[in-house]
Amino acid sequence: MAYEMIEVETQGPAAVIRLNRPAALNALCDQLMQELGQALRAADADPAVAAIILTGSEKAFAAGADIKEMQARRFPDTYLNDFIGASWEAVLTIRKPVIAAVAGFALGGGCELAMMCDMILAADNAKFGQPEINLGIIPGAGGSQRLTRAIGKSKAMEMVLTGRMMSAEDAERAGLAARVVPVADLLPEALKIAGKIAGLSAPAVAMAKEAVNAAFELPLREGVRLERRLFLGLFGTEGQQEGMAAFVEKRKPVFK
Ligand code: CO8
């Protein structure tokens, strides 16, 4: 598949999808989002891929939805034409772990896209923000909800109301980013995470992802019930048998 606005390569067990629209700081236009959706689905279906890394350039993960494309849009066309539709939510349908490796600007829809991934690894130059208020709009791809759940009401409210950006260090401290690494180490570190995941039991990985993401959707009681069902479902899998046998036999597990 030939893409114009993204680059896709396989590195070991990881599919690396790089947003590549440098002239617009990877602004997320319709074409880019459609290409991204296709690449994500292809990687999800590829049995050689254990995890997906979504990244941008050193300067920008993505500086938001494409403001120039959005400028002329009017309601109700936005609504009738499913403006923030399937292409924006594609990443939420992916069953393999998706790691956002974020350097530079992750603003507006860029921050929202990163938050839709399963974890955010931040370069030390990353800047997160929801600056939509400065354009006379508000976040529209989940920013007000996911940011609030990730960092709490006061911090999210300040960012959404004023457009203030958050540094990588602050993002880590607040729980938005899993870790901060030097910008030069961003992709190698993301690949290490993907490599670790690739060596684990695939059903356990898929269920772990489902269980943690359910914490964003379900009340606690329902979430715990789901976790328990998934947990019990792992008993009898090759992964559970191998993992526990290896522990008892004091050797390293070999998962298929
Ligand atoms: N859309 C379109 N073009 C952009 C965007 C963008 N979001 N961001 C940057 N660009 C373009 C600039 O217009 C410029 O192009 P040109 O050279 O042709 O003028 C080029 O990228 C480089 O940008 P700058 O010259 O501005 O670079 P600086 O380093 O000076 O500044 C900033 C970098 C601070 C990131 C600045 O570009 C900026 O503020 N960008 C806009 C950030 C923003 O407001 N993002 C939120 C957009 S709204 C949004 O995301 C809503 C999401 C809703 C859900 C999705 C619906 C589909």
Side-chain angles (χ1 to χ4, degrees):
M1 175 79 212
Y3 297 113
E4 289 176 10
M5 296 191 173
I6 61 171
E7 288 173 354
V8 184
E9 59 174 334
T10 306
Q11 292 203 27
V16 180
I17 303 177
R18 187 180 290 280
L19 308 179
N20 184 30
R21 204 188 161 207
L25 300 182
N26 294 335
L28 303 166
C29 62
D30 285 347
Q31 183 182 340
L32 188 153
M33 293 310 290
Q34 273 169 26
E35 290 185 9
L36 176 59
Q38 279 177 27
L40 284 166
R41 284 188 289 273
D44 208 25
D46 183 345
V49 170
I52 300 167
I53 297 169
L54 179 57
T55 194
S57 68
E58 270 194 20
K59 179 151 191 209
F61 177 75
D66 190 316
I67 299 167
K68 293 166 192 170
E69 205 176 62
M70 282 189 294
Q71 187 183 6
R73 289 196 160 137
R74 296 287 178 270
F75 189 84
D77 284 349
T78 47
Y79 181 81
L80 293 173
N81 293 323
D82 200 19
F83 171 38
I84 314 173
S87 63
W88 272 84
E89 305 227 308
V91 67
L92 299 175
T93 68
I94 301 304
R95 302 195 67 206
K96 291 173 183 165
V98 184
I99 302 160
V102 175
F105 296 110
L107 302 179
C111 187
E112 292 171 311
L113 179 62
M115 290 191 290
M116 284 186 226
C117 297
D118 296 313
M119 70 178 93
I120 297 177
L121 188 65
D124 49 12
N125 73 341
K127 283 190 191 321
F128 298 88
Q130 298 289 162
E132 289 91 340
I133 200 82
N134 295 321
L135 299 168
I137 57 170
I138 68 168
S144 64
Q145 306 302 297
R146 291 197 179 88
L147 188 65
T148 306
R149 288 173 197 216
I151 69 175
K153 176 176 167 178
S154 279
K155 286 177 191 293
M157 191 67 91
E158 190 197 3
M159 288 173 73
V160 170
L161 279 182
T162 69
R164 190 175 84 82
M165 291 187 215
M166 184 178 249
S167 69
E169 264 182 26
D170 285 348
E172 184 193 24
R173 213 173 295 129
L176 181 61
R179 264 190 298 136
V180 181
V181 299
V183 66
D185 297 343
L186 182 64
L187 188 58
E189 285 295 326
L191 286 167
K192 269 192 218 162
I193 297 172
K196 170 71 188 175
I197 290 169
L200 301 171
S201 163
V205 166
M207 291 189 198
K209 164 173 167 146
E210 184 181 348
V212 174
N213 282 330
F216 274 73
E217 313 277 349
L218 298 178
L220 182 62
R221 213 181 168 86
E222 281 303 312
V224 171
R225 199 171 291 163
L226 171 71
E227 179 194 79
R228 192 154 309 157
R229 281 199 295 269
L230 294 171
F231 171 75
L232 296 175
L234 285 167
F235 282 77
T237 60
E238 280 182 41
Q240 174 260 337
Q241 288 174 25
E242 169 61 9
M244 293 191 180
F247 178 82
V248 172
E249 292 160 17
K250 299 190 185 301
R251 60 175 174 82
K252 283 206 161 155
V254 182
F255 296 110
K256 284 184 188 154

